[in-house]
Amino acid sequence: MTKIFRFGVIGCGLMGREFASAAARWLHLADVKARPEIVAVCDTNATLLDWFRDHVPTVRQFTADYKELLANPDVDAVYCAVPHVLHQQFYIDVLKAGKHLLGEKPFGMDAAQNRAIMAVLAEHPKLMVRCSSEMPFFPGAQKVIALAKSGEMGEILEVEAGFLHSSDIDRQKPINWKRMAEINGDYGCMGDLGMHVLHVPLRLGWRPSTLHAQLVKKVTERPDGKGGMLPCTTWDNATISSRVRTGDQDFPMMLKTWRIAPGESNTWYIRVLGMKKSAFFSTKSPRQWQWMDYNGGAQAWSTEDLGYTSLFPAITGKIFEFGFADAIQQMWAAFVDELAGGDANGFGCATPAEAEAHHAVLTAALKSGREDVVVPVDYDGASV
């Protein structure tokens, strides 16, 4: 019999509704141990609560006070998707309420807030806690990860990972909280996109030891939606050039979190170049991945169409395409599988330790970008 985990959603915006969609389509997955059921939702926006009333019949609690949701004994686990400035208090309260948690990145607005969350998490070791990062669940990304894990790539020459948006090139785009440092945090674009970019490198054990960051702020003000203008106080783009040194490897790694990337819509990519094998995947070509074998002869990239070859099997035929909504559902399948005692089919969601390590990288990048210096990354006990 399939086990049911009852979820509360705190923050019913875009990603809260994406989770609702993934949960409603759970029958799309084959042979899962458990499934989520959303029973409670919280948001201060009544229109968003109405969306759940109209579309999610399992919800029995609608509230504007997240503490009311946390007091609900029918809630086993919480998805918390709120602005960065709220992470520390909300995540700590979720943990103290004894609820399992899938939190949004960056898992604390800054390193100090992340440390506060981690301290409370240490007091609740039986809770399953993860950080949202769905892009590595694309089949092509999984191919790159598997090849990197195999050890067949030989000496690594370089790694590049990035997440590129283009919408902020429009200077008339109205301001939102992600352009306000007091709500988003001083990391700017790095705080919102950095966990996506670092999830795979950190999972593979590729932690930057030193780095130099170029931080870009091109749009200094935006329309406030009321006829006026407000200052943009966050970084638009960040390019981090880092050095990775492991037991047997020493190579450069480039990390890009760009909100102004001309022509890009929502492009996540990873490229790993090795002396024996290389690999590349980009969500711009979501059904393909590329690799190259080098054995002393010709150097030629091969491209494979993957179709729907997901980490968690689904009813979709192998010949069809995999998309963003599928990646969201696969991430949730991994989280729920771990809740049920599984191993997430070998690739789980980003862990709190990985979120902690990514804060160390972003903190160093912020200092580097402001001072234009090479900075050592101080992981301060981060365990990846």
Side-chain angles (χ1 to χ4, degrees):
M1 184 174 180
T2 303
K3 184 174 177 59
I4 296 174
F5 289 99
R6 299 165 300 180
F7 275 83
V9 176
I10 301 175
C12 297
L14 175 62
M15 299 313 295
R17 285 173 286 163
E18 287 282 3
F19 172 39
S21 173
R25 296 181 294 110
W26 211 254
L27 78 171
H28 191 78
L29 299 172
D31 302 323
V32 289
K33 297 184 181 75
R35 68 177 178 87
E37 182 178 278
I38 300 174
V39 299
V41 293
C42 172
D43 204 288
T44 55
N45 185 331
T47 300
L48 294 177
L49 294 181
D50 286 341
W51 185 92
F52 276 81
R53 281 193 179 93
D54 292 341
H55 297 287
V56 188
T58 56
V59 177
R60 298 184 290 276
Q61 182 186 31
F62 301 86
T63 179
D65 183 350
Y66 77 99
K67 292 185 178 180
E68 289 183 358
L69 184 149
L70 295 182
N72 186 343
D74 291 334
V75 173
D76 303 314
V78 168
Y79 174 45
C80 194
V82 295
H84 304 170
V85 70
L86 301 178
H87 284 194
Q88 177 180 349
Q89 190 62 59
F90 279 47
Y91 291 8
I92 286 174
D93 287 345
V94 170
L95 298 173
K96 288 183 174 180
K99 312 294 187 184
H100 304 290
L101 170 66
L102 182 71
E104 274 296 337
K105 66 305 184 257
F107 222 77
M109 188 166 71
D110 54 31
Q113 288 197 10
N114 178 257
R115 282 193 294 270
I117 296 167
M118 294 295 288
V120 176
L121 176 58
E123 299 171 359
H124 298 81
K126 293 185 179 180
L127 294 179
M128 229 284 288
V129 179
R130 295 291 182 265
C131 182
S132 175
S133 173
E134 63 275 356
M135 294 304 184
F137 289 91
F138 273 83
Q142 288 294 310
K143 284 285 191 178
V144 175
I145 293 165
L147 185 57
K149 282 183 174 180
S150 73
E152 296 175 6
M153 304 186 84
E155 294 176 273
I156 303 297
L157 291 168
E158 184 180 64
V159 173
E160 183 175 349
F163 205 166
L164 313 177
H165 292 289
S166 66
S167 61
D168 279 12
I169 200 170
D170 179 6
R171 294 180 183 270
Q172 298 308 306
K173 178 182 176 181
I175 199 167
N176 61 30
W177 64 265
K178 291 183 180 180
R179 282 80 191 159
M180 303 174 183
E182 66 272 20
I183 303 175
N184 177 87
D186 290 335
Y187 292 147
C189 58
M190 296 186 292
D192 201 44
L193 303 177
M195 189 70 251
H196 291 303
V197 174
L198 278 158
H199 184 177
V200 172
L202 292 175
R203 183 63 54 87
L204 293 170
W206 298 340
R207 299 203 302 181
S209 56
T210 58
L211 59 79
H212 182 266
Q214 299 279 351
L215 305 182
V216 174
K217 188 182 296 182
K218 291 297 183 184
V219 180
T220 57
E221 61 178 11
R222 289 192 178 276
D224 63 3
K226 303 174 183 178
M229 302 292 287
L230 285 175
C232 289
T233 54
T234 59
W235 302 103
D236 293 318
N237 290 357
T239 302
I240 303 170
S241 178
S242 71
R243 183 175 184 178
V244 174
R245 283 183 275 193
T246 67
D248 59 349
Q249 297 274 13
D250 188 341
F251 57 86
M253 182 164 70
M254 184 75 71
L255 307 167
K256 292 185 177 182
T257 57
W258 287 20
R259 287 208 167 275
I260 302 179
E264 305 291 348
S265 177
N266 193 62
T267 301
W268 180 95
Y269 69 94
I270 184 163
R271 178 185 290 107
V272 184
L273 303 179
M275 288 294 289
K276 294 181 178 179
K277 294 179 185 287
S278 298
F280 172 70
F281 170 73
S282 169
T283 56
K284 186 175 284 192
S285 300
R287 68 178 299 158
Q288 296 180 334
W289 81 297
Q290 295 178 299
W291 78 96
M292 183 176 72
D293 295 332
Y294 179 66
N295 297 303
Q299 300 178 39
W301 284 90
S302 299
T303 300
E304 180 185 9
D305 272 18
L306 294 170
Y308 204 105
T309 53
S310 53
L311 185 66
F312 285 84
I315 62 173
T316 300
K318 302 289 186 185
I319 63 171
F320 297 109
E321 292 89 356
F322 185 100
F324 177 75
D326 300 301
I328 289 281
Q329 188 176 55
Q330 289 286 311
M331 178 189 73
W332 275 105
F335 183 74
V336 173
D337 187 73
E338 284 198 89
L339 270 180
D343 67 350
N345 284 358
F347 189 86
C349 300
T351 66
E354 288 166 343
E356 183 182 38
H358 114 286
H359 270 282
V361 175
L362 301 193
T363 299
L366 190 59
K367 176 179 175 62
S368 173
R370 285 171 167 171
E371 301 178 13
D372 192 21
V373 293
V374 175
V375 175
V377 182
D378 180 9
Y379 290 95
D380 191 25
S383 54
V384 177

